[in-house]
Amino acid sequence: MIDMTVNIGGRRLKNPVLVSSGTFGFGKEYSNFYDFNLLGAITVKGITLKPRKGNKPPRIMETSAGILNSVGLENPGLYSFIENELPFLKKYSVPIIANISGNTIEEYSLMAKELNEHVDFIELNVSCPNVKEGGITFGTKPESVYEVTREVRKVTNIPLIVKLSPNVTDIGEMALAAENAGADCISLINTLMGMAIDIYNRKPFFNNVVAGLSGPAVKPIALRMVWQVAQKVNIPIIGMGGISNWQDAIEFMMAGADAISIGTANFYNPLAPKEVLEGIKEYMIENGINDLREIKINGGVK
Amino acid sequence: MRREFCKIISNFRVANNVYKMVIESKSISKEALPGQFLHIKPSQNYDPLLRRPISICDLDQDKGGITLLYRVCGKGTRLFAEIKPGDNLDIIGPLGKGFPIFQNKKSAIIGGGIGIAPLLILSKWLKEADIYLGYKDETYMTDEFMNYSDDVCIYTESGSRGTKGYPIEALEKNINRYDIVYACGPKQMLRAIKRLCEKNLVECYLSMEERMGCGIGACLVCACESSNNDEYKKVCIDGPVFNSKEVNLDD
Ligand SMILES: Cc1cc2nc3c(=O)[nH]c(=O)nc-3n(C[C@H](O)[C@H](O)[C@H](O)COP(=O)(O)OP(=O)(O)OC[C@H]3O[C@@H](n4cnc5c(N)ncnc54)[C@H](O)[C@@H]3O)c2cc1C
Ligand SMILES: Cc1cc2nc3c(=O)[nH]c(=O)nc-3n(C[C@H](O)[C@H](O)[C@H](O)COP(=O)(O)O)c2cc1C
Ligand code: FES
């Protein structure tokens, strides 16, 4: 019997295959393709305290082996999420990770407090502008990562995941700040900041000028960052960024990830999470690996 | 809605850069409704990465045939054009909300360019609609439309076939004959039709296009402006067919 379980902040996931925030809606849409109870956990679309309309289209552009997106956190707001979206997912036994974004530490804290009894994990999306700091992204300064994590930690007793932005010079420093502030787990990477230009109109393609890059194109960067974070912290890591198949997933685990998460791949292959899970299992059997943890570090990259 | 690897029955050019492809799927064709689309993976690798939305143009529900009509305009559609009969395509569908079908109402169908694609199957199901088709120069699929309606008017910008001009000019003259107008085509055309129908209190359904990610309502990238300013509509699941009153087509 092989053991694929993963422990995050005292909670056991039955396997390491997760789906990423913003790429899986609130679940409903993908329930036509396979049984959710197969998944390690589901991370739902990023939510904010108040409803958000999101950015003016266009919101997506295909790049070489990737996509740029500019959704702008469109979501129905915290309370509508709890009331209208959660009940569907609760029908399954799969753990739910709520991904939250705020413009102030108070907003993050309030949301975490309200969600505490409703979900299994909270994931802090720190790739948001901190209004009180002149709009500098929380996730680009170790002090603000520390502060927001510490404050949220105070109001919630469910496992807390901090999702790092890759748009920084030293990702290890950010991970360490989150760990020191009491995070149970680090997830990375969020989208990389990119840009596209409409050469006929001499204008940026997106109204926001910049947009978030994801998909296979970002995988080597994500892998490197997971590896760097693994050298720095002792808490579990959820690796993501461009994972398309089980081989990618194994690579992330060898770089130091305890679990992996599938984002953009859901768009072009709605069965990707199931296929990745099956692939990891087969790989373990073929290589005589009984415990997922053996894939990681010591048993991992040599 | 399902994901299936479908066999290609035929795939050939019907006009400059315009192709007609017939694929086989008993289950998808059985479920499909006029106005719905398929989300098709153009390549087996990661470039191009995303699926392409293509409307269902015709259905042979007994044999499981689904006809698609597409214009080659980029990476993905160029790859579609290279597909050979016997190959397989990775398809999700049928997706989206189609055209509502009413009995005993007098309908007009108006299409511009490749926008005629979803209107063929609609003409077949409506049986007695008047059809207005507009092209730049070269025409295609006109015989197929004539199989389903006795009243097919053809317009070309160049005047090479049919009447020179735009189909909306004729629709405008006849607008009071209709209870419902169905339209698909370039955005400026849809904008004009929306205005025309709303001015004349004629119900109007438009099939819209927007770039897509998932195609099933999960990623929110296919937003289009709605007449309710507080929210966007999702073209993939709220549409692609909308009542003209639901959407805002102003720039
Ligand atoms: C609901 C729906 C139904 C459609 N039905 C048809 C049809 O029956 N026949 C047909 O020829 N075309 C149809 N289109 C347009 C078709 O999807 C695009 O022409 C096609 O995606 C272009 O892909 P490409 O790789 O050739 O172009 P590229 O420019 O290389 O594509 C780059 C990216 O932009 C997207 N994109 C580019 N143009 C469009 C567009 N007009 N609409 C949506 N996404 C776009 C592509 O999907 C891709 O993600 C439909 C679009 C929608 C939304
Ligand atoms: C359309 C889209 C929306 C996203 N929304 C969110 C979000 O709301 N919150 C968040 O933390 N990450 C969000 N992400 C980032 C993903 O969760 C993931 O971190 C990133 O896309 C990298 O993984 P991938 O390459 O597998 O997609 C979004 C990504 C995409 C493509
Ligand atoms: S394409 Fe993903 S929500 Fe419409």
Side-chain angles (χ1 to χ4, degrees), chain B residues 39 211-222 234-237:
Chain B
H39 217 194
R211 286 163 189 260
M212 293 188 180
C214 66
I216 59 172
C219 72
L220 308 186
V221 304
C222 60
K234 296 190 267 291
V235 170
C236 71
I237 55 165

Side-chain angles (χ1 to χ4, degrees), chain A residues 19-23 43-47 59-60 67-71 73-74 99-101 123-127 163-164 187-192 212-219 222 240-244 261-267, chain B residues 218-221:
Chain A
V19 288
S20 309
S21 181
T23 65
T43 317
V44 288
K45 178 188 315 177
I47 48 175
R59 290 182 174 185
I60 187 170
I67 59 169
L68 282 165
N69 92 79
S70 175
V71 171
L73 277 176
E74 174 177 338
N99 176 281
I100 62 173
S101 293
E123 181 176 64
L124 294 187
N125 174 7
V126 294
S127 302
K163 180 168 181 180
L164 299 180
S187 63
L188 77 162
I189 59 173
N190 210 318
T191 52
L192 281 150
L213 184 66
S214 64
V218 310
K219 197 198 89 182
M240 70 187 99
I243 298 178
S244 310
S261 191
I262 296 177
T264 302
N266 289 301
F267 302 169
Chain B
C219 72
L220 308 186
V221 304

